[in-house]
Amino acid sequence: MIDNANKKILNILQKNARTTNADIARQIGKAPSAILERIRKLEANGVIQGYEARVAPLAAGLGLTSFTLVSVEEEVGSTSTGELLASIPGVLEVHYCAGQDSYLVKIRVQDTERLAEMLAKIGRIPTVKNTKSTIVLRTVKESSNLPIDEE
Amino acid sequence: MIDNANKKILNILQKNARTTNADIARQIGKAPSAILERIRKLEANGVIQGYEARVAPLAAGLGLTSFTLVSVEEEVGSTSTGELLASIPGVLEVHYCAGQDSYLVKIRVQDTERLAEMLAKIGRIPTVKNTKSTIVLRTVKESSNLPIDEE
DNA sequence: ACTGAAACGCATTCAGC
DNA sequence: GCTGAATGCGTTTCAGT
């Protein structure tokens, strides 16, 4: 179960995944060994899915973000087109959306030329009918941190 | 500059932000102190923006994901509505989009009831004209990890 | 589930190159 | 920008409760 101590741990790790167990222990008033045990269980239970460094996209040469709606014709419940999309480098997120037979795909590429190549690649997938892209001009906020209310 | 060693470091930390410096040092064949120095510079230069634990949304009671297009009427170049949206709990991402006078907002909430509350809240912002939401049925992939090619 | 002690490994500093 | 040694701290295990 996720008691209040675990909520505190999750919030600390969401803010800075490299916080040491000793540091967390100090913040929530327990021994480091207790924190280690809790974090291991949270990982084993799938509550903590991983720890990601957030890299500046521009520094990685990826200056263009696009959200692309990919319309598909596939069997209901099938996940294969989505997984194919997910495997393309530069495709960061793939979400299947209600009421549109389509995937919403978050893409990061170098420039419009690379986006064109990617859209061509996606368009070549047999189950894909068409795509509709929206270019991001400015990203105001971007985080995976969930609001977890402590008691 | 981001040389090949830094690319390796970034890729390791993108996959697991809690990898120890000693471990990274072994993987890329340098001393731990060299890794520490490199990581500090990458942080100082803004290349590494942070380290986030990824928490299972369902475990946090957030079973519903929505992408909502928020149309606004504000001065061109203004960022204030976007920042207002970004400050709402459950709003994870805010992107200003080309050619539509609107923000694409990624939302995570408990259920449709909470989504309705959130959309009402957003609708009450004076600069907001209307919203158009797409519910996510299934998330196939969700990551912030950028493709960084090593030489 | 937690503590506390012990052993081990890691982080960090710094001198030298 | 890196190494290597030294110190202090963190991690991890485990016995005990």
Side-chain angles (χ1 to χ4, degrees):
Chain A
M1 236 332 49
I2 302 191
D3 61 5
N4 205 39
N6 279 347
K7 287 180 183 174
K8 285 180 182 170
I9 291 171
L10 291 174
N11 277 330
I12 291 167
L13 289 175
Q14 280 195 133
K15 263 196 291 192
N16 180 7
R18 276 173 84 79
T19 310
T20 63
N21 296 346
D23 212 343
I24 298 170
R26 271 177 235 116
Q27 290 185 50
I28 76 174
K30 293 202 192 308
S33 51
I35 304 302
L36 176 65
E37 199 179 355
R38 278 174 174 270
I39 290 179
R40 282 195 177 153
K41 280 179 190 167
L42 289 168
E43 290 169 352
N45 296 339
V47 176
I48 295 176
Q49 297 179 325
Y51 307 95
E52 294 180 349
R54 201 166 271 278
V55 175
L58 267 175
L62 300 171
L64 184 62
T65 306
S66 167
F67 283 91
T68 299
L69 205 55
V70 179
S71 299
V72 295
E73 256 180 347
E74 65 181 345
E75 289 178 46
V76 179
S78 174
T79 178
S80 51
T81 305
E83 272 154 26
L84 209 55
L85 292 169
S87 71
I88 300 172
V91 170
L92 305 185
E93 301 189 19
V94 177
H95 307 271
Y96 189 72
C97 291
Q100 318 183 278
D101 294 328
S102 56
Y103 291 93
L104 183 57
V105 177
K106 183 176 178 180
I107 292 171
R108 271 207 208 270
V109 286
Q110 200 179 57
D111 49 36
T112 50
E113 181 56 40
R114 304 302 172 102
L115 179 59
E117 288 170 17
M118 167 140 331
L119 294 176
K121 193 177 203 172
I122 290 172
R124 263 180 251 120
I125 299 172
T127 47
V128 170
K129 288 198 297 184
N130 64 72
T131 65
K132 195 179 148 190
S133 294
T134 302
I135 304 288
V136 171
L137 294 183
R138 188 164 33 85
T139 291
V140 180
K141 180 182 182 179
E142 190 170 34
S143 169
S144 65
N145 290 5
L146 307 175
I148 299 176
D149 290 340
E150 299 169 15
E151 285 148 33
Chain B
M1 235 334 47
I2 302 190
D3 61 4
N4 206 38
N6 279 347
K7 288 180 182 174
K8 284 180 183 172
I9 291 172
L10 291 174
N11 277 330
I12 291 167
L13 289 175
Q14 281 196 130
K15 263 197 291 191
N16 180 8
R18 277 174 82 82
T19 310
T20 62
N21 295 347
D23 211 343
I24 298 169
R26 270 177 236 116
Q27 290 185 50
I28 77 175
K30 293 204 190 306
S33 51
I35 305 301
L36 177 65
E37 199 178 355
R38 279 172 174 270
I39 290 178
R40 282 196 176 151
K41 281 180 190 167
L42 288 168
E43 290 169 352
N45 296 339
V47 176
I48 295 177
Q49 298 178 324
Y51 307 95
E52 295 181 349
R54 200 166 271 279
V55 174
L58 266 175
L62 300 172
L64 185 62
T65 305
S66 168
F67 283 90
T68 298
L69 205 56
V70 178
S71 299
V72 295
E73 257 180 345
E74 65 180 345
E75 289 177 47
V76 177
S78 174
T79 179
S80 52
T81 305
E83 271 155 27
L84 209 56
L85 292 168
S87 71
I88 300 172
V91 169
L92 305 185
E93 302 189 17
V94 177
H95 307 271
Y96 188 71
C97 292
Q100 317 184 279
D101 293 327
S102 57
Y103 291 94
L104 183 57
V105 178
K106 183 176 178 180
I107 292 170
R108 272 208 208 270
V109 286
Q110 200 179 57
D111 49 36
T112 50
E113 181 56 40
R114 304 303 173 103
L115 179 61
E117 289 170 16
M118 167 142 326
L119 294 177
K121 194 176 201 171
I122 290 172
R124 261 180 252 121
I125 298 172
T127 46
V128 170
K129 287 199 298 184
N130 64 70
T131 66
K132 195 176 148 191
S133 294
T134 302
I135 303 289
V136 171
L137 295 182
R138 188 164 33 84
T139 291
V140 180
K141 179 182 182 177
E142 190 171 34
S143 170
S144 66
N145 290 5
L146 307 176
I148 300 175
D149 290 341
E150 299 168 16
E151 285 148 30

